[in-house]
């Protein structure tokens, strides 16, 4: 998955509900603030992640050098 952007999501540590993942960390944080306003839950986790592809290599082959 070349050139995939970092994604973000917010998660409520009280009930486990989480936002949809988004490219904008501010959107994930805003979800947390809105959820706090609706539920009065106060603990949140804001996470960032990135997708990538991995390919198995033949352990007998010598590594490529650049």
């Amino acid at each position: 998955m070349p050139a995939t952007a970092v994604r973000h999501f917010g998660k409520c540590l009280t009930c486990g509900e989480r936002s949809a993942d988004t490219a904008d960390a501010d959107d994930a944080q805003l979800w947390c603030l809105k959820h706090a306003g609706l539920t009065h839950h106060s603990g949140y986790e804001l996470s960032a992640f990135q997708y990538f592809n991995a390919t198995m290599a033949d352990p007998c082959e010598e590594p490529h050098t650049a």
Side-chain angles (χ1 to χ4, degrees), residues 43-54:
Y44 293 87
E45 174 184 354
L46 187 61
S47 298
F49 64 96
Q50 187 172 24
Y51 295 106
F52 67 94
N53 289 333

Side-chain angles (χ1 to χ4, degrees), residues 30-43:
L30 182 58
W31 177 90
C32 294
L33 295 171
K34 288 180 178 180
H35 185 78
L38 293 171
T39 63
H40 303 289
H41 296 165
S42 60

